[in-house]
Amino acid sequence: MKLLSDFDGVWTDPEPEASAVRRLMVARTSELSGLAASQVDADLRELAGYALARPAEHGWSPGGRISAFADEDPLILGNAAAEVMRRWAGDAAAAPDSAREVAARCRVYCEAILDEGFASIDAYADAVFHAGTSAFRAEHGSALLPGAAEAAERMLALGVDVVVVSNSGEEKILDWFERAGIPARSVHARADDGARCLHVRGSAGKFVLGEGEDSISVAERRILVDRPKYVAAIRAEAPDAVIGDVFSLDLALPHALRSRGERWAPRTLVLAKNSYTPGWSGVERAGGAVDHVVDGLGDLCDLLATL
Ligand SMILES: [Mg+2]
């Protein structure tokens, strides 16, 4: 039994990391624009609220097209807010009448960001994301969930071959597992030496979209499934089951591959439920694409024992 597991939001709680990124976004944007941090904070909340009220239209759009939606996790919401900032700065009429003053300040923020030398607002949001998560690591060590070590032990005892496939870098994941005493090594250091350990495939680029227009429709949104880097990882691992907390990033492609009848596609798709999980993926199971919803790693182990 091979499980391909996402990392952030399955083995960790992303909320404290997202808070660190939010705080840094407020501080840096205030510093660059010269506007008060309290004003920037209020504006970013308004931008995030706008994206969250229209999640099918806003999200993390690294190449200009939405890869994951604003309502799927708190880190994605930060990128979605930056994307609304860019839109309103370029076209104040895109903002509702009640937010015209916010839109005017978005122009100030964006000009200051670009003057600082960032290639785009998205590049700025990415830079803040990386700096914010690094600051979190430096301060707190790790955001691994309590019970992660026991869960890893149970999975290994069940004989599950766990491959962690994540957009996060391998170094971070291996470091966090090591701090918790969880045996893990890179997939690139996989060896037939009988060692019981988890394997990690980092920087998997699940968010990277290809040129293709292949998509699935779920909850009135169009989810693009031409994801060349993620498909390569799934093909290489040929897992029996996949678990992730963000449907668009983790499960939409495996669902499409399974529907297409690829022989290396997973049989079972599992959503890791969190406090932020939207109803359309958790309760409604993405129109039936999700086979199981688990609430925590203990619940996941119970499920794995039955598969
Ligand atoms: Mg995740």
Side-chain angles (χ1 to χ4, degrees):
M1 159 78 188
K2 184 185 269 194
L3 173 70
L4 197 153
S5 172
D6 180 37
F7 183 67
D8 298 284
V10 174
W11 293 87
T12 74
D13 176 7
E15 189 55 66
E17 281 187 280
S19 298
V21 172
R22 263 197 304 268
R23 281 196 300 276
L24 186 63
M25 177 66 93
V26 169
R28 287 237 58 200
T29 309
S30 163
E31 221 173 85
L32 292 176
S33 66
L35 292 176
S38 55
Q39 182 69 70
V40 176
D41 186 33
D43 290 345
L44 286 173
R45 282 175 199 278
E46 173 119 12
L47 296 168
Y50 183 85
L52 210 44
R54 300 156 186 80
E57 298 159 40
H58 300 281
W60 183 19
S61 319
R65 294 187 299 165
I66 296 180
S67 185
F69 298 94
D71 59 352
E72 292 194 87
D73 90 9
L75 289 162
I76 295 166
L77 182 58
N79 284 78
E83 181 250 343
V84 177
M85 182 199 283
R86 181 191 56 77
R87 260 196 222 192
W88 288 7
D91 176 16
D97 286 346
S98 61
R100 285 295 152 81
E101 286 182 20
V102 181
R105 284 190 295 274
C106 285
R107 180 175 278 248
V108 175
Y109 300 141
C110 289
E111 281 174 3
I113 290 163
L114 298 175
D115 281 352
E116 183 66 12
F118 289 98
S120 64
I121 305 308
D122 197 55
Y124 173 67
D126 272 355
V128 172
F129 171 84
H130 288 296
T133 49
S134 298
F136 177 87
R137 284 168 72 180
E139 195 179 339
H140 301 280
S142 116
L144 214 60
L145 288 170
E150 292 76 6
E153 186 47 48
R154 274 187 74 191
M155 289 178 200
L156 292 171
L158 284 166
V160 179
D161 180 2
V162 182
V163 182
V164 173
V165 174
S166 169
N167 297 322
S168 284
E170 254 168 47
E171 199 192 320
K172 162 185 152 179
I173 300 169
L174 290 170
D175 177 48
W176 288 14
F177 278 151
E178 193 182 342
R179 283 165 189 267
I182 296 172
R185 56 167 77 149
S186 164
V187 284
H188 306 294
R190 209 178 234 151
D192 243 351
D193 56 4
R196 289 168 79 245
C197 68
L198 276 58
H199 286 95
V200 178
R201 185 184 282 267
S203 304
K206 299 180 194 179
F207 59 89
V208 175
L209 300 174
E211 303 275 299
E213 291 296 327
D214 282 3
S215 65
I216 59 170
S217 287
V218 177
E220 288 168 14
R221 55 193 87 195
R222 182 167 171 257
I223 307 177
L224 294 165
V225 293
D226 178 9
R227 297 178 186 246
K229 291 193 72 171
Y230 192 24
V231 82
I234 296 172
R235 193 172 195 147
E237 298 295 346
D240 299 293
V242 177
I243 179 164
D245 65 318
V246 173
F247 182 81
S248 301
L249 291 180
D250 302 315
L251 302 177
L253 171 62
H255 168 66
L257 296 172
R258 181 173 68 173
S259 308
R260 223 182 276 163
E262 297 289 359
R263 63 187 158 71
W264 37 272
R267 287 192 308 271
T268 306
L269 300 183
V270 186
L271 185 89
K273 185 174 165 290
N274 280 296
S275 55
Y276 49 80
T277 305
W280 64 268
S281 66
V283 177
E284 293 162 28
R285 299 188 175 204
V290 170
D291 302 306
H292 304 276
V293 176
V294 295
D295 193 353
L297 286 164
D299 207 8
L300 171 60
C301 291
D302 292 345
L303 172 68
L304 289 171
T306 68
L307 291 179

